[in-house]
Amino acid sequence: MSARRTLFAFAHGLDHDPPDESRAIEYRGFRCSTRSPKDRRLAGAAAAARLDTHFGRPDASPGELLDAFHDVDVPIHHNVHLAAAALRADPGRVREAGRWLVRNSLHECSATIGLALLAEGRDPEDLPEIEAIGRLGDHFAPLAALAIRCRGRDVTPLIRLAEAAHGWARVYYVEALCEIASVTSVRRWLLRYACDGDYLNGYFAERLATVAHLHAAITAPGPDEELIDHTGRLLTVLTFGRGMGSDLGSYPEAGPVLTAYAGHLGRMAPTLQRYRLAARLGEDLTKRAPEEIGRTPAQHARLIRRFRAILGRRTWQIAAREQAGPEEAPHLRHAARVSALLRAHEAVLTREPENARVSGARRPDGHGTGPVSPG
């Protein structure tokens, strides 16, 4: 076998190798480029046929599979054809081949087949191999998450993978954790660390808030700072995640959670990150009607006052400027614009009740009494 480093060794080196361009170049050498079949129902079928042929030979060794999948489609998600091939074979040989491929593969295709075989097993002793290959990111994350979930109660490897992951890999791991949010350690992690601010967080933010019972956590007495800060990140994702299935307007508890978060935020020490989140959420409030987030006009006006008060505090402005680097200047200017916008919006809301009494003008909620007779 080639002296080139295996994918498994590469994964173990992530903690020690410098995160430089050479590492990215090396990983490109592991990639395979195969085309998916036009009929998606056949995805994985050719690879499964090769597994059937292999396991049909009692004397075949796992090493014979090392270069067997370069020219066929190898799905990165759970696949019915590959699963069926694993079920047709002897479980001991399936596990042996899966472990060998994960540990010795020089290409993504054969390592993915190995992981797919392990995903059909239940032996907890496979967890170190699964976790190691799962650290390599988007390509291996869906099957790694499934393989860990299949192995019982130990979800620690899945939490570790989610903690270290970014982009699509983080989406896959957090979605897997949302399936078991009733587990205390999982719920605690989801409520404090799941959202890292990446755009793709929009694929799981609303579901996370629902299954982890964010409303109950943030409205309980004395929430910790990690919970409060994560709530701010999650709420911010909900302001832009509509196209990914997460939206502040469709989250049933948006109003109470926003109100609780604003109250906690106002009592916390100022930081640049908190200042930026307050600006993002405050700006979004000016674009939404109260009923979109389950608030009355009076409750909506109070929310706007709270965020305006936070952004207008001199101590917060000074802390944000002191903590900001040159690249943060646009965010400081944005916060200043939002503060002025909230001030203007609050002034309009303050005048509206008086104007409605005097002129009978139609209010934002659509009700109005018509002109008031002077006599």
Side-chain angles (χ1 to χ4, degrees):
M1 194 164 71
S2 168
R4 184 160 67 91
R5 188 157 60 154
T6 66
L7 263 170
F8 191 72
F10 180 86
H12 274 288
L14 292 179
D15 287 336
H16 312 293
D17 296 344
D20 56 12
E21 186 178 353
S22 64
R23 192 168 77 182
I25 292 172
E26 181 181 1
Y27 187 79
R28 286 201 291 270
F30 295 114
R31 293 192 182 280
C32 299
S33 86
T34 58
R35 292 185 178 180
S36 299
K38 292 182 179 179
D39 186 346
R40 295 303 300 159
R41 293 172 297 181
L42 297 177
R50 294 187 184 184
L51 286 175
D52 283 335
T53 299
H54 174 82
F55 290 125
R57 294 171 46 227
D59 60 340
S61 67
E64 295 177 34
L65 293 171
L66 196 62
D67 295 308
F69 305 98
H70 295 318
D71 60 341
V72 295
D73 171 60
V74 178
I76 68 170
H77 296 269
H78 183 259
N79 178 265
V80 292
H81 299 295
L82 295 177
L87 289 174
R88 287 190 289 266
D90 174 72
R93 291 188 66 199
V94 169
R95 179 172 179 249
E96 179 190 17
R99 287 173 63 90
W100 194 94
L101 288 173
V102 166
R103 282 183 164 273
N104 295 281
S105 289
L106 300 172
H107 297 93
E108 281 182 338
C109 55
S110 53
T112 305
I113 291 291
L115 190 54
L117 293 176
L118 290 181
E120 299 306 318
R122 298 292 184 272
D123 196 324
E125 291 186 7
D126 301 330
L127 284 173
E129 282 79 10
I130 296 166
E131 183 178 356
I133 206 73
R135 297 176 63 205
L136 293 177
D138 304 352
H139 187 91
F140 296 102
L143 283 171
L146 174 64
I148 294 171
R149 285 282 318 281
C150 289
R151 279 161 172 75
R153 295 185 177 182
D154 185 8
V155 294
T156 307
L158 190 53
I159 292 176
R160 282 197 298 260
L161 286 172
E163 184 88 53
H166 304 283
W168 279 110
R170 194 176 190 92
V171 174
Y172 295 132
Y173 291 133
V174 172
E175 286 181 337
L177 288 169
C178 283
E179 295 285 343
I180 48 174
S182 59
V183 177
T184 301
S185 60
V186 172
R187 179 173 180 250
R188 177 176 177 79
W189 188 88
L190 289 173
L191 287 171
R192 289 163 177 81
Y193 310 110
C195 286
D196 62 354
D198 185 80
Y199 176 76
L200 294 176
N201 290 172
Y203 281 101
F204 59 72
E206 186 175 341
R207 184 185 179 201
L208 185 157
T210 302
V211 300
H213 304 295
L214 172 62
H215 171 255
I218 198 66
T219 58
D224 57 82
E225 290 195 357
E226 289 178 317
L227 171 61
I228 297 168
D229 285 334
H230 183 265
T231 299
R233 292 196 298 275
L234 190 151
L235 288 170
T236 303
V237 172
L238 289 175
T239 66
F240 62 73
R242 176 176 295 182
M244 295 172 279
S246 294
D247 183 61
L248 204 59
S250 62
Y251 173 46
E253 305 295 345
V257 170
L258 264 169
T259 300
Y261 171 71
H264 296 312
L265 185 64
R267 295 187 289 272
M268 296 173 75
T271 68
L272 175 61
Q273 179 65 6
R274 290 167 182 168
Y275 190 65
R276 287 177 56 180
L277 292 178
R280 292 284 295 276
L281 293 171
E283 181 181 35
D284 188 77
L285 282 173
T286 66
K287 301 175 182 177
R288 292 185 187 268
E291 58 270 20
E292 282 190 65
I293 54 172
R295 300 286 83 180
T296 66
Q299 290 172 327
H300 192 70
R302 284 197 292 273
L303 256 180
I304 286 178
R305 279 198 297 273
R306 286 186 178 182
F307 281 104
R308 192 269 305 160
I310 291 170
L311 292 174
R313 289 179 189 169
R314 185 70 176 162
T315 52
W316 279 68
Q317 295 169 355
I318 292 172
R321 283 199 300 269
E322 289 178 345
Q323 296 172 28
E327 71 282 359
E328 298 283 354
H331 298 295
L332 297 181
R333 290 194 293 270
H334 172 256
R337 288 195 300 270
V338 172
S339 183
L341 180 64
L342 290 172
R343 196 178 304 112
H345 206 74
E346 184 182 354
V348 171
L349 292 175
T350 303
R351 288 198 302 269
E352 278 178 351
E354 182 179 350
N355 292 340
R357 288 195 300 272
V358 173
S359 64
R362 189 166 296 276
R363 302 197 309 266
D365 59 9
H367 298 291
T369 59
V372 177
S373 170

